[in-house]
Amino acid sequence: MTTYPITHLKAATALAVFLTVIITTLPAKESGNTARVPISLSIEPVLVSASPAAQNEGPGTEIEAIPWMNVKIRPGDNLSMIFKRMGLKAADLQAIVDIGADASVLKKIIAGKTLGLQISSEKRLMALRYEQNPLESLLVTRVGNKFVVYLNISEAEVITAFQTARISTDAPSLYHAGKKAGLSDNIIMKLSYIFQWDISFAFDLRKGDAFAVIYEEIYVDGEKVKEGDILAAHFQNMGKTYSAVLFEDDNGVKNYYTPAGRSLRKAFIRDPVHFSHVSSNFNLRRFHPIHKRVMPHRGVDYAANRGTPVVAAGDGKVIIARQNNASGKYVVIQHGEQYTTKYLHLSSFAKAVRSGKNVTQGQIIGFVGSTGWATAPHLHFEFLVNGVHRNPKTVKLPKAKPILTANMNQFRTNTAPILMRLSSIVGSTTFANASYKISRSDG
Ligand SMILES: [Zn+2]
């Protein structure tokens, strides 16, 4: 734990009045993150450039004996409300407001987090602590009639972890298999995006498919606070293997590559609806429920809740965005000379998606619905090559990005250790097979 004094004693200014208004009117934000690390206050704050009196006094001396009281921040709370609730003096609130920018994080306290308070028997606030995030916490301590702020920065420890998992009857989806292996939602999502060009996680997972993933875990004071990047991953899907390794170029841009240095990015992603939204037990519709006869079916149906985002499978230009009886609201995108994709039965179009507009891969173009001939919300997706319908699940798709050349030596040097590790993990798991050499996945 390192402590940085970030403020000097400051005189009250006219600004204080303004800040009081902000502090008392801004509601607490809801916290989406429940991870918390108890902050250690066994710190030795160093105070610089304060008045001589303050230096002698030090922040720790007079408050040592008072126990910390932890107050849970409620939705809509602000500092002023908490002070009132705790019976604290308005003058103390004002003195904290007077600190100004260095304590400005206290204007945006987040519901669900905890505010630590040291309160004297005369109801004077002696100290306050607030953890902004797992790495940074603010400590405000009384010095005379004023308060001084310290920022405590914990040092994060990054640990490399790995996990392997297998698709089975019990765990038929990437999500289930990942959870069974102890992976977080976060890592499962990241994994799905790494392989989104090669694998349809909505349709193409089979019993026996397996994967290995090496990723960073970030620890503070011995507790895991979050995960970092996936460093490398390996996926065995329907008899093919895919490997990915993270590489950061000179410009600080991180991307995933095959072990041979080809980008994993391709002209088309497999699923225009993220697999996590797709219901698996959806058996459309050779026998059309409205027309009561077998309909020719030239696309793939993704069952998902109304309003689920639908993304462009590749970069291209919208050539149709309109509505008709059969297709409902639908979008057609032209990708270069050869390729066309169609997205049917949308509940609505995304903003700025109209005929003639360019869209980029992964851009939201509309939302799942049941307009047109559809009995339940789903996306009907078609993929055409030179005007001919192809099965997007099986069609051979063009590779988009070329090999990186300028950084090749650096790439080899930097990724060799982690690829070796991936290789040994894959080689040591039960799903491994002697023929699954990492280099084979590149081609
Ligand atoms: Zn369909």
Side-chain angles (χ1 to χ4, degrees), residues 397-433:
L397 297 175
K399 298 207 168 194
K401 298 288 185 336
I403 193 162
L404 61 122
T405 46
N407 294 327
M408 203 57 210
N409 285 338
Q410 198 193 339
F411 173 81
R412 287 209 176 99
T413 312
N414 290 8
T415 59
I418 200 79
L419 284 172
M420 211 128 92
R421 183 138 184 227
L422 182 66
S423 184
S424 78
I425 292 166
V426 171
S428 68
T429 57
T430 49
F431 72 77
N433 174 307

Side-chain angles (χ1 to χ4, degrees), residues 337-353:
E337 298 277 299
Q338 282 187 291
Y339 299 94
T340 311
T341 53
K342 298 184 179 179
Y343 311 77
L344 277 55
H345 309 308
L346 302 175
S347 59
S348 60
F349 303 114
K351 242 186 214 166
V353 168

Side-chain angles (χ1 to χ4, degrees), residues 7-10 45 47 50-63 92 95 99 124-127 139-150:
T7 192
H8 307 169
L9 292 175
K10 288 176 181 169
L47 182 62
S51 69
Q55 276 181 21
N56 293 339
E57 215 175 350
T61 47
E62 117 184 52
I63 60 176
D92 286 347
I99 294 165
R124 292 171 83 210
L125 179 71
M126 304 312 289
L139 173 65
V140 180
T141 60
R142 173 182 293 279
V143 180
N145 288 324
K146 298 201 164 52
F147 288 91
V148 190
V149 183
Y150 299 88

